[in-house]
Amino acid sequence: MTARFRLAAAVTATTVALTACSAPFSHSHVRPSPFTTHAPARVHVSTGAPSEDTNVAPLTVAAEHLHNESSWNAPRYTVQWPDFADAAGLSSALEDTVTRWKKNFVDASHSDSDSGQDADLSVVWEPVVNAAPLRGIRLTNHTTEAEVVTTTETVYGTTDETWHSIDLVAPTRRAALIDAVRRAAQQDAHVSTGSDVDAAKVFEDVTFDRTGTMIIRIPAGAIGPASAGLLTAEVSNPETYLSAAGRHVRDVAMKDAGHTTAPGSASPITPAETHTDCAKAKCIALTFDDGPGVATESILDTLQRTHAKATFFMLGPAVQAAPDTVRRMANLGMALGDHSWTHPQFPNLSNDQVTSEITRQADAVEKVTGQRPVAVRPPFGAFTSTTPHAGFPFVLWNVDTEDWKNRNADATTKRALDGAQRGAIVLMHDIRPSTAKALPGIIASLQHDGYTLVTIGDLIPTMKTDGA
Ligand code: NI
């Protein structure tokens, strides 16, 4: 109620200001007017998401700053986000959004007995501006109940300042911009909009393309009926609507657009000759899912020191963000695996969506290392007889350390060693510090018992195809 009242008042004030601005007698009372020096803003609204502008330099983050929380318990979720050592405000803003989305999803799923095992939440991130010290990060929320619903938020930050998308629009101009967007929604997209509009919801994802056009992704239901879905407003010449922060972000985004992607494509890595004949050797395969993440480098240190091999089933955004860690894996002769982009449950997706989840990750691995992944591990081990494989073998596990749940080095060690047998595939996660802590003991014990620690690639020739 309060929000609606405030908005109505703001609209009136804005109208007055505009009238004053165009009246010849009041020119001396207004600031140097952008109206006289800039082409007028134009707003166009269309349904659906904007065409992707991917001309942003890749943003690399040390693996130890890549976070991933997931739960196999219903309702299942996986949330990925980065932190930045030199931008505490941006880091905590990202974590706040992720935490809020996670809580909303879990609370909603608990109160709705119809949703359960199949609901899932996947949160991924991408840079929209990457020109240190200014970075802009979009978080994307894919929630699946009956269908996949996508919402996004973009946050900007420098070393000492943080802006949510709404901060890019001048507070005194938000109501006028919402008005212009509502008119354009009606005219361009034939979406009728209500008057009860929450500015905070409309301006959750504001970005700029290389020409300086402001692009607003408006979530379903924020200005029109939810059935109209996501709307995209493009504001050309947005000058008059921008705050000082907005102008700064726009200027940097336009300069940043000069970057083309691929900072020196990686020369292909030829891994050290590591083939082990598992028909002869007593092989066991350790596998690490969901990284690269906070524990990956420490795990690689241990594997390197003990001359052990392992397989990493990685998520696309983390591969893209931590290419040095992925190249280190390849150089050490570790096998690179595909664990999708957003970590969804494949049975919730269309075949095209599954294929895209797999191939987008595989392309990222190839771009960084010159190698294609050796296999796919479907997130949560979930797939059906009709799930497409995109040309890769699906590899599950037969020893589950439950390290994601116990988060305890002793419990993880016990489950790994209790389940160990020739040919076993052990499931662990390189996003858990407790797993990194358990690893030296697990490897010492296995090697003492005569096991050779190999990659999935070594084990595949001895594996039987199971079911589909
Ligand atoms: Ni996983």
Side-chain angles (χ1 to χ4, degrees), residues 65-427:
H65 293 292
L66 293 171
H67 302 278
N68 180 321
E69 287 285 332
S70 51
S71 172
W72 293 55
N73 294 335
R76 289 177 169 173
Y77 63 79
T78 306
V79 293
Q80 307 175 55
W81 77 100
D83 77 66
F84 300 97
D86 59 349
L90 174 59
S91 301
S92 60
L94 294 171
E95 187 168 0
D96 286 351
T97 295
V98 166
T99 304
R100 172 166 43 85
W101 280 349
K102 197 171 73 182
K103 183 179 187 313
N104 289 348
F105 172 73
V106 171
D107 289 353
S109 302
H110 272 292
S111 61
D112 175 3
S113 54
D114 289 340
S115 68
Q117 191 66 33
D118 289 332
D120 76 47
L121 165 70
S122 298
V123 175
V124 291
W125 63 279
E126 63 186 325
V128 298
V129 174
N130 175 22
L134 177 67
R135 302 183 190 91
I137 305 294
R138 171 182 290 126
L139 293 168
T140 300
N141 170 330
H142 303 277
T143 297
T144 305
E145 297 282 351
E147 57 182 319
V148 182
V149 176
T150 300
T151 57
T152 56
E153 279 188 31
T154 294
V155 188
Y156 298 86
T158 63
T159 313
D160 46 25
E161 289 184 285
T162 309
W163 302 295
H164 287 86
S165 283
I166 192 170
D167 300 322
L168 307 190
V169 183
T172 55
R173 301 288 290 144
R174 287 172 195 164
L177 181 52
I178 287 173
D179 254 17
V181 168
R182 287 178 53 208
R183 281 196 303 274
Q186 221 131 21
Q187 269 169 25
D188 304 336
H190 309 290
V191 172
S192 47
T193 64
S195 53
D196 186 9
V197 175
D198 179 356
K201 282 212 159 49
V202 175
F203 300 124
E204 285 182 342
D205 187 346
V206 176
T207 55
F208 298 91
D209 71 11
R210 68 195 74 183
T211 68
T213 293
M214 177 164 59
I215 297 170
I216 312 169
R217 296 182 187 217
I218 304 169
I223 61 163
S227 59
L230 173 76
L231 298 176
T232 296
E234 293 178 46
V235 186
S236 50
N237 309 312
E239 186 72 25
T240 60
Y241 293 116
L242 299 180
S243 64
R247 281 192 288 273
H248 176 59
V249 169
R250 180 210 43 199
D251 292 349
V252 173
M254 289 175 75
K255 270 187 231 146
D256 189 35
H259 290 279
T260 49
T261 46
S265 276
S267 47
I269 292 168
T270 313
E273 183 52 56
T274 58
H275 179 70
T276 301
D277 184 354
C278 293
K280 296 184 181 136
K282 186 179 169 188
C283 291
I284 190 165
L286 301 183
T287 63
F288 298 93
D289 287 11
D290 297 355
V294 295
T296 310
E297 287 287 348
S298 158
I299 284 169
L300 287 173
D301 291 344
T302 301
L303 292 168
Q304 184 172 16
R305 196 178 62 244
T306 56
H307 307 287
K309 303 299 178 214
T311 304
F312 291 83
F313 288 99
M314 300 177 281
L315 295 175
V319 168
Q320 206 169 45
D324 291 344
T325 298
V326 179
R327 280 194 282 269
R328 184 179 175 207
M329 289 172 189
N331 276 319
L332 291 173
M334 305 299 158
L336 311 177
D338 186 333
H339 199 39
S340 83
W341 197 268
T342 68
H343 204 267
Q345 297 179 78
F346 285 168
N348 281 343
L349 304 185
S350 69
N351 284 358
D352 284 352
Q353 287 170 324
V354 171
T355 301
S356 159
E357 283 280 340
I358 294 172
T359 54
R360 191 177 175 197
Q361 193 276 5
D363 291 348
V365 168
E366 185 171 15
K367 188 167 178 185
V368 164
T369 64
Q371 299 175 14
R372 296 295 278 177
V374 295
V376 167
R377 174 167 285 164
F380 306 106
F383 66 102
T384 70
S385 59
T386 59
T387 302
H389 287 219
F392 294 95
F394 279 8
V395 172
L396 301 187
W397 58 89
N398 43 26
V399 179
D400 183 356
T401 61
E402 295 189 348
D403 61 337
W404 65 274
K405 190 163 73 177
N406 61 47
R407 300 188 184 196
N408 176 290
D410 291 341
T412 299
T413 303
K414 181 171 180 353
R415 289 190 63 95
L417 297 180
D418 283 355
Q421 55 174 305
R422 186 170 180 172
I425 300 173
V426 182
L427 172 65

